[in-house]
Amino acid sequence: MKETLLSFNKKELGEVMAALGEKSYRAGQVLRAQSSGLCFDEMTELSKPLRARLKENYGDFPVMIIKTLKSRDGTEKYLFSLADGNVIEGVLMKYKYGNTLCVSTQVGCRMNCAFCASGISGLIRNLDAGEILGEVIAVNRKTGGGLSDERKVTNVVLMGSGEPLDNYENTVKFLRLLGEKEGLNMSARNVSLSTCGLVPQMRMLAEEGLPVNLTVSLHSPFDGERAKIMPVAKSYSIAEILDACAYYFSRTGRRYIFEYVLIGGENADNRHARALIGLLKGKPCHVNLIRLNDVKEKGLKGCSERDAREFLRELTAGGLSATLRRRMGEDIEGACGQLRRRFLSEETGADPNEVCAGKTKETGGI
Ligand code: SAH
């Protein structure tokens, strides 16, 4: 697979242009064009010979939308194909304040959490920075957005398939590319990075000088029970995670968030609520409760709406800042990795050679 220019920042694009004997302003043109989701043939600002040379040396726009599903609640689920034929997914959620896109950082995942569809077949490969960025650009284009203030995608969450901190360098590079002034120009303040709790990388991230919102998937206040649903808990204890969060706060001044998926009969009793309060009270954090989206392959069930509300009430009565997230996109298999699995088992992929962002070769939709 050829390297794509989407992983290059403005300075690196300048070096590419210089090596091709082109004027330096070409770097800005390419940056703007590819941040708009154009493939080489659409970059009509560039001369034909230059386009041909770029095509010869570099891969074209790496992410193509092959399927869009629209939920009753307005949530849109996208299935993307990559240049090597791999398939990943993203979800666009519409809120009053803007549109949040959830993107994948890996094809598959090696964390193997008990409730998550992404890890069922393990890790296939890391996405490179340009591919992660390509998901954002493709959906931005598809929904009619432009660059900088004209963006339709206003926020990004790294909560799709994959563990972003297990693909550390590409993820951090992506965060920096997102902020390119002549590109999407999106600050890391508008990005939330969700991790299952890879402690060393959480500490490294604190040093990057990026104002990204750190979210940790906690899912249990007890190490032993957590390890049953999240194998990674065998490597890092909750105490170590809390220390890393405190360090993150000390370096960035940013409050952190815990995700807590409520699984009926597993982690949603008042014993869990009390222990969570004991762990988190007084810390600069927020707890996001989510009712589990049932995953066929996993045999785990979400808890009832009533139990979820009761769990929330206990946390807030105990002094925690917490919310129960609206379930979104349930009817379109909104949770991590679900759509990709269904797609792979039911359909054959689109032509991976035809890669152009937002130019879709759709195979369906509801
Ligand atoms: N690896 C990262 C990011 C991907 S998972 C992490 O673990 O945080 C993003 C969020 O989706 C996590 O909080 C995860 O627990 C949650 N999630 C996964 N499967 C889910 C499901 N079936 N229902 C509801 N949330 C789910």
Side-chain angles (χ1 to χ4, degrees), residues 196 222-223 226-228 230-238 241:
C196 59
F222 305 116
D223 283 317
R226 189 167 185 265
K228 283 196 191 134
M230 302 179 73
V232 66
K234 292 181 194 126
S235 305
Y236 305 108
S237 68
I238 294 171
I241 290 176

Side-chain angles (χ1 to χ4, degrees), residues 115 159-160 162-163 194-196 217 219 259 261 292-293 295 335-336:
F115 46 83
M159 294 187 184
E163 166 51 48
S194 184
T195 176
C196 59
S217 295
H219 309 331
E259 299 274 312
V261 171
L292 182 81
N293 271 18
V295 180
C336 252

Side-chain angles (χ1 to χ4, degrees), residues 7-222:
S7 296
F8 288 39
N9 60 28
K10 172 105 187 267
K11 185 166 162 271
E12 291 161 342
L13 286 172
E15 287 157 13
V16 169
M17 291 306 147
L20 293 173
E22 293 285 336
K23 297 249 164 49
S24 61
Y25 72 88
R26 295 281 182 210
Q29 283 182 328
V30 171
L31 179 66
R32 288 190 296 276
Q34 63 183 11
S35 304
S36 308
L38 305 187
C39 51
F40 290 135
D41 286 341
E42 293 175 298
M43 296 186 188
T44 47
E45 264 188 347
L46 308 181
S47 67
K48 273 202 176 147
L50 175 57
R51 277 188 263 158
R53 290 189 69 192
L54 291 177
K55 239 173 154 168
E56 210 176 282
N57 292 301
Y58 299 97
D60 213 332
F61 196 92
V63 177
M64 182 176 67
I65 296 172
I66 52 170
K67 188 165 181 150
T68 307
L69 295 180
K70 292 194 166 103
S71 165
R72 287 186 290 274
D73 61 23
T75 302
E76 291 173 10
K77 184 120 192 180
Y78 293 95
L79 208 57
F80 307 103
S81 79
L82 305 174
D84 63 358
N86 269 307
V87 172
I88 52 170
E89 61 189 66
V91 184
L92 186 70
M93 292 156 288
K94 297 181 180 170
Y95 298 100
K96 279 192 215 87
Y97 57 80
N99 298 326
T100 299
L101 181 68
C102 173
V103 297
S104 297
T105 52
Q106 295 179 316
V107 184
C109 183
R110 60 192 183 117
M111 298 301 146
N112 202 19
C113 298
F115 46 83
C116 181
S118 298
I120 294 174
S121 309
L123 176 67
I124 295 167
R125 72 169 174 87
N126 283 333
L127 298 187
D128 70 25
E131 288 171 320
I132 308 172
L133 183 66
E135 296 176 69
V136 183
I137 292 172
V139 173
N140 189 50
R141 180 180 187 187
K142 172 86 181 178
T143 50
L147 301 182
S148 208
D149 293 345
E150 311 276 297
R151 266 185 287 109
K152 282 280 196 280
V153 175
T154 51
N155 298 77
V156 169
V157 294
L158 302 179
M159 294 187 184
S161 292
E163 166 51 48
L165 296 186
D166 188 39
N167 183 14
Y168 187 86
E169 295 208 342
N170 288 313
T171 296
V172 166
K173 181 146 204 219
F174 156 74
L175 292 171
R176 297 198 199 286
L177 289 170
L178 206 53
E180 274 289 345
K181 295 278 171 293
E182 292 175 59
L184 290 180
N185 191 20
M186 188 190 294
S187 161
R189 283 176 200 286
N190 298 333
V191 182
S192 295
L193 183 155
S194 184
T195 176
C196 59
L198 300 183
V199 166
Q201 291 93 324
M202 287 166 69
R203 288 178 171 273
M204 276 159 70
L205 189 67
E207 306 291 348
E208 296 286 350
L210 284 164
V212 61
N213 303 300
L214 180 65
T215 297
V216 179
S217 295
L218 194 58
H219 309 331
S220 176
F222 305 116

